[in-house]
Amino acid sequence: MTTIPERNLTVPSSPTTQPPSRFQGIVPPIVTPLADDDRLDDSGCERLLEHQIEGGVDAIFLLGSSGEIVSLSHQLRADFVRKACRIVNQRVPVLVGITDNSVVETKRLAQVAADAGADAVVLTTPFYYPVDQAELKTFVQSILQGIDLPLLLYNMPAMTKLWFAPETVAELAQIDQIVGIKDSSQNLDYFRQLTSLKSIRPDWTFLIGHETLLADSLRVGGTGGVNLGTNLFPKLFSRLMQAHRENDDDAVQGFQTKIDALAPIYEIANSSAPLLPLIGITKTALSILGICNDHLAPPHRPCTPEQRQQLTVVLEQLKSTLGV
């Protein structure tokens, strides 16, 4: 894992007067239910989103890494955004991932999100071609030109091979339209540096990606989580967040222990790859729970029958022990 050295960030002296973020709390990174390679599982979309809202989540995040965004056609991405916004119907905020190496396509999807009634967009770094931090700032600023929705940054170096350096985030924090960051680096020291920006952007949200770090991230100033396991057990994550809001540290740790107990689900994926097998195992678990199809965008394949059988046993055990 790349190490980002700890630094004292230089930040503007005048804090924003914006109100606290609407995008705090548990924000599940929704998988994209697929009927086939380029068609949505319509009923699965509805069941999955209702499962989240009934589970007490604070917002919905579409088309993140867990949503297989880079493997989906631009048309299917747009279709999913429109469908999800109709289903959610403003009951909770909807955040839309707009990641694409093309500035034009990124802005086009941002406009689709705005037209569909989404509340914010989420942007990670470009990938494939090397990009330095100056170019990264230019990239973000280019995306902002012509879009009106609030934007959250998304640090995902395992996939993009590029970090939002802390100094870059501090500079971008001077732009009012940027309202927070989601970090999936697994580096709590880096995350702690980010939360120091609260001094000048109290309206920002600081979301952690890895669910094993959720409680720790809240202790160092985080404001919520974008965690894969929420797809399966939203109530578990929502209850942890509620305990945090009530300053009940013992309850927070108790729920974190239960979240850590989800590990056997992910261990069935049995792969050194950092993310995609986890999406596949999550989709298969959702299909076992009767929520949505487990089809993955090509070239990836769903779990084997043996994995599915193992997962069925694990899910039965977890449902009886987690109390959700």
Side-chain angles (χ1 to χ4, degrees):
M1 179 177 68
T2 302
T3 300
I4 296 293
E6 188 163 350
R7 307 179 180 94
N8 292 320
L9 297 183
T10 300
V11 297
S13 57
S14 299
T16 180
T17 58
Q18 295 291 329
S21 174
R22 299 171 53 217
F23 310 119
Q24 300 184 24
I26 299 303
V27 187
I30 297 297
V31 302
T32 304
L34 298 173
D36 57 35
D37 292 353
D38 198 33
R39 183 166 57 92
L40 292 170
D41 170 11
D42 291 335
S43 59
C45 290
E46 184 161 5
R47 285 192 296 269
L48 178 59
L49 290 165
E50 293 297 341
H51 178 57
Q52 300 305 307
I53 293 172
E54 290 169 8
V57 303
D58 296 286
I60 297 290
F61 177 31
L62 310 174
L63 298 178
S65 304
S66 302
E68 303 173 83
I69 180 172
V70 297
S71 298
L72 305 177
S73 69
H74 291 116
Q75 184 60 55
L76 189 139
R77 299 180 204 184
D79 290 345
F80 187 38
V81 170
R82 296 185 185 106
K83 178 177 292 294
C85 286
R86 285 196 301 271
I87 294 169
V88 173
N89 194 27
Q90 301 181 330
R91 287 177 287 173
V92 295
V94 174
L95 289 67
V96 176
I98 56 172
T99 293
D100 199 287
N101 280 336
S102 164
V103 169
V104 171
E105 292 293 349
T106 301
K107 293 170 75 170
R108 185 171 289 147
L109 185 54
Q111 189 58 55
V112 169
D115 292 344
D119 298 272
V121 292
V122 184
L123 179 70
T124 193
T125 62
F127 47 93
Y128 191 82
Y129 292 118
V131 174
D132 62 26
Q133 292 296 308
E135 292 171 320
L136 178 55
K137 285 182 284 187
T138 299
F139 176 75
V140 174
Q141 290 161 349
S142 298
I143 300 302
L144 289 173
Q145 293 174 9
I147 71 170
D148 298 324
L149 289 176
L151 182 143
L152 286 84
L153 306 174
Y154 181 2
N155 188 56
M156 185 53 157
M159 295 293 127
T160 67
K161 316 306 179 190
L162 177 64
W163 292 71
F164 275 106
E167 295 85 356
T168 299
V169 179
E171 290 186 47
L172 292 172
Q174 300 178 51
I175 302 173
D176 286 345
Q177 192 176 353
I178 301 177
V179 296
I181 185 166
K182 181 216 169 181
D183 174 45
S184 290
S185 69
Q186 301 189 62
N187 187 321
L188 201 60
D189 289 335
Y190 169 85
F191 188 80
R192 186 184 290 107
Q193 290 180 69
L194 297 180
T195 62
S196 70
L197 293 171
K198 280 186 176 182
S199 62
I200 54 100
R201 288 301 300 265
D203 62 312
W204 260 37
T205 190
F206 300 89
L207 303 171
I208 199 76
H210 285 78
E211 57 202 54
T212 58
L213 296 176
L214 180 55
D216 287 340
S217 74
L218 296 173
R219 293 189 190 101
V220 301
T223 59
V226 183
N227 312 127
L228 181 62
T230 315
N231 281 274
L232 301 173
F233 299 109
K235 289 181 181 178
L236 179 58
F237 291 80
S238 297
R239 289 173 181 173
L240 184 151
M241 196 68 210
Q242 184 59 37
H244 171 70
R245 290 169 175 147
E246 295 170 356
N247 298 312
D248 188 341
D249 293 339
D250 289 341
V252 168
Q253 191 53 54
F255 287 120
Q256 183 65 60
T257 298
K258 290 186 175 184
I259 288 171
D260 293 344
L262 302 182
I265 293 175
Y266 307 129
E267 290 167 1
I268 293 171
N270 191 29
S271 173
S272 60
L275 183 64
L276 196 72
L278 304 186
I279 301 169
I281 209 77
T282 301
K283 278 192 163 183
T284 297
L286 286 166
S287 74
I288 292 169
L289 295 173
I291 293 174
C292 68
N293 199 306
D294 66 349
H295 190 90
L296 290 170
H300 306 290
R301 294 174 294 179
C303 295
T304 65
E306 292 77 15
Q307 288 173 314
R308 187 180 184 92
Q309 185 176 17
Q310 294 174 47
L311 188 53
T312 300
V313 173
V314 168
L315 286 173
E316 285 302 315
Q317 293 171 341
L318 286 172
K319 283 192 292 183
S320 66
T321 59
L322 294 180
V324 291

